Amino acid sequence: MITFPSGREIILGIGAGIAAYKSCDLLRRLQEDGFSVTVVPTENSLSFVGRTTWEGLSGKPAPSNLWDSNGGVAHVDLAKLTDLIVVSPATADLIARISLGRADDLLTTTILASKAPLIIVPAMHPEMYLNPATQDNLATLKRRGIYVMSPDFGKLTSGDEGIGRLPENLAIREEINRVLARTRKLKDRRILITAGGTREAIDPVRFIGNRSSGRQGLEIAFEARREGADVTLIAGQTEEFELPGVRTIRVESALEMKSELEKEVPITDALIMTAAVADARPSRISNGKISKSELSEITLIENPDLLATAAGEKKKNQIFVGFAAETESDFRDRGRKKLHQKEVDYLFVTDIANGKVFGDTRTSGLLISKGGVEWPFLNSTKSEVARSIIDKIADDFALMETSK
C-alpha cells in the first residue's frame, strides 16, 4: 500500500525559549490538520523540551545536529522536501542568526538551503523584542519576503508584562494556512493524470497486461494536489494506494480509459499521461473460459494511441505531458521523435532496460520539452521526477498569465 500524507510537508523549527513547550500542542494541531511535520530543534532548545518528546509526538526523528544525517546531506534533504518552515518560538538570538544568513546548526542551515516560505514567530522578553537590534533584524527578514508574526501582549514567565508573548496556536495555524494557500502554484488549475497498466481481456479469466505499478503517476498526482490543483486520476492496474483529496476513476482496458479521457480532457488545464496502455487487444473476447487446448493463437488488433488522440483536440492554453518507455540505447532519439509525433509539450522517456523501474521507487530517464530542452534523471526518486514535472507545468501556466 502506497500511502500519501493528506497535507503538505512542514518543518517546525524550535528555538531555545521557555515557550517551546507550547509548540508541542502546535505540532499536534498541525497533524490534525493533515500536515506531515518534522521537528528540527536547536541544540539549546532541547534543554526546554527534549528530543524524545518531539520524536514521540511527531513519530519521526527530530534532528538538531548537522551530523545527524543517515547518509544524505541533512540540511539539503530537509530543504528539498519541505513546503514550509515555521520557527516557533523564534528567540532574539535565532532571529539574529537567520537575519545574518548564519548557518551554524541544522535549523539555520536548512533555512538557508530552502526555497520554501518561512514563518518566524517571535517570543522573548519585551526589552529584547523592542531592542533596536532585534527590530532591525525583523525588518530585514520582512524585506526579504519572510513572514513575521507579531508577538502577543501579556504576562511572561519572568513575571513582567508586555509585548513578547508567543501568539496563540490558533493564530499560528491560521497564518500557516494563509501562507500555504498563497504559495500554491497550481491553485484553481484542473490537472488530469492517467496511471497504471491496462488489462485487455481474453476471456473472463485471462488478460493481456504489463508490469506497470502506476507509482510514477501516483507521485505526480500527489505533487499536483499539494500544489493546490484540482486533481483527477484515471487509474488502471496500480499498486494499492491512498491519495486523499484526489478524485480517482478506475478503469480496466484501453477503451475504457479512452472513454474517460474523452469526458475529462476538454475541461482540464493539463493532461499527464503516465499510464502504460496496452498497444493491442484481442480481436475477440470469449464469454466463457477458453480451454487450454484451444489457446493455440490469439488474434490481436491495435489499440488507439490515447495520448495522440487527446493531443489532436488540444487547446492552446492546455499543457500535455507524455511518457514513453524504451529499452534501446538510442532512447533519447526515440523520445524526441515521439515528442513531435504525439505533439505534446513535454515527454519523459524512461529507460526500462532489464525490467528496471517497474514497481521501484527510483527511475532513470530524460524529460524533453517541445523547445528541445532536456533534463536528465539518473536513478532519481519518482517523487523528484514528479516534482520537476509539476514545477515546469506551474512555470508554464505562470508564463501564460503574464503574457495575457
Side-chain angles (χ1 to χ4, degrees), residues 74-376:
H75 61 286
V76 174
D77 293 343
L78 286 167
K80 282 181 180 178
L81 294 173
T82 192
D83 295 294
L84 177 72
I85 301 175
V86 182
V87 181
S88 178
T91 62
D93 174 69
L94 185 50
I95 288 168
R97 288 191 286 131
I98 295 170
S99 174
L100 289 170
R102 293 279 296 274
D104 48 10
D105 63 7
L106 181 58
L107 178 57
T108 55
T109 307
T110 301
I111 289 171
L112 206 60
S114 177
K115 295 180 181 178
L118 172 62
I119 299 175
I120 299 292
V121 190
M124 64 197 75
H125 193 272
E127 277 72 14
M128 296 179 71
Y129 176 72
L130 296 172
N131 187 287
T134 302
Q135 290 301 305
D136 283 351
N137 289 332
L138 290 171
T140 297
L141 296 180
K142 290 176 183 177
R143 282 198 305 273
R144 293 176 186 160
I146 293 169
Y147 300 91
V148 178
M149 293 189 69
S150 296
D152 284 351
F153 187 97
K155 286 190 175 294
L156 293 100
T157 307
S158 62
D160 293 331
E161 189 172 19
I163 192 166
R165 184 183 177 92
L166 189 76
E168 295 299 321
N169 285 334
L170 177 60
I172 300 172
R173 288 166 69 190
E174 288 176 350
E175 178 71 358
I176 287 169
N177 284 297
R178 186 184 68 82
V179 170
L180 284 175
R182 178 183 292 181
T183 58
R184 282 177 171 154
K185 298 177 182 178
L186 291 175
K187 190 174 183 294
D188 300 325
R189 293 289 183 180
R190 291 182 175 181
I191 308 296
L192 177 63
I193 300 160
T194 67
T198 62
R199 289 181 174 180
E200 310 300 329
I202 299 170
D203 61 22
V205 178
R206 304 177 182 92
F207 60 86
I208 296 171
N210 56 60
R211 297 175 60 194
S212 173
S213 67
R215 183 181 287 267
Q216 183 65 82
L218 301 180
E219 292 283 1
I220 292 172
F222 173 66
E223 293 295 337
R225 186 196 58 77
R226 67 201 286 270
E227 288 297 345
D230 179 358
V231 182
T232 296
L233 175 70
I234 302 176
Q237 301 305 307
T238 68
E239 294 183 57
E240 289 187 41
F241 65 88
E242 287 183 6
L243 261 172
V246 172
R247 172 178 168 239
T248 301
I249 301 170
R250 281 289 187 181
V251 297
E252 184 86 7
S253 67
L255 293 182
E256 288 178 11
M257 186 171 286
K258 179 177 181 290
S259 176
E260 295 299 334
L261 284 168
E262 288 171 350
K263 299 174 194 173
E264 300 293 334
V265 169
I267 58 172
T268 195
D269 293 304
L271 169 65
I272 307 171
M273 285 280 295
T274 74
V277 181
D279 292 320
R281 67 185 187 276
S283 60
R284 184 179 65 87
I285 302 173
S286 174
N287 291 325
K289 180 182 176 183
I290 303 172
S291 66
K292 189 185 296 185
S293 61
E294 295 175 337
L295 277 174
S296 56
E297 64 177 33
I298 300 173
T299 302
L300 301 177
I301 56 175
E302 187 177 357
N303 270 327
D305 186 325
L306 302 191
L307 179 57
T309 301
E313 303 296 324
K314 183 177 180 291
K315 299 172 187 173
K316 201 171 185 179
N317 60 347
Q318 290 180 312
I319 298 172
F320 282 14
V321 181
F323 272 69
E326 297 290 346
T327 59
E328 303 297 330
S329 58
D330 62 342
F331 75 95
R332 173 185 274 103
D333 293 334
R334 288 172 175 262
R336 288 174 182 156
K337 186 177 179 181
K338 285 188 176 182
L339 172 79
H340 296 294
Q341 283 177 339
K342 296 179 187 291
E343 299 181 339
V344 294
D345 299 283
Y346 296 94
L347 187 129
F348 188 88
V349 55
T350 311
D351 180 7
I352 59 168
N354 303 316
K356 56 189 177 185
V357 173
F358 293 114
D360 201 348
T361 59
R362 292 185 172 272
T363 187
S364 294
L366 188 70
L367 180 63
I368 311 169
S369 77
K370 65 180 179 183
V373 183
E374 298 179 356
W375 297 270

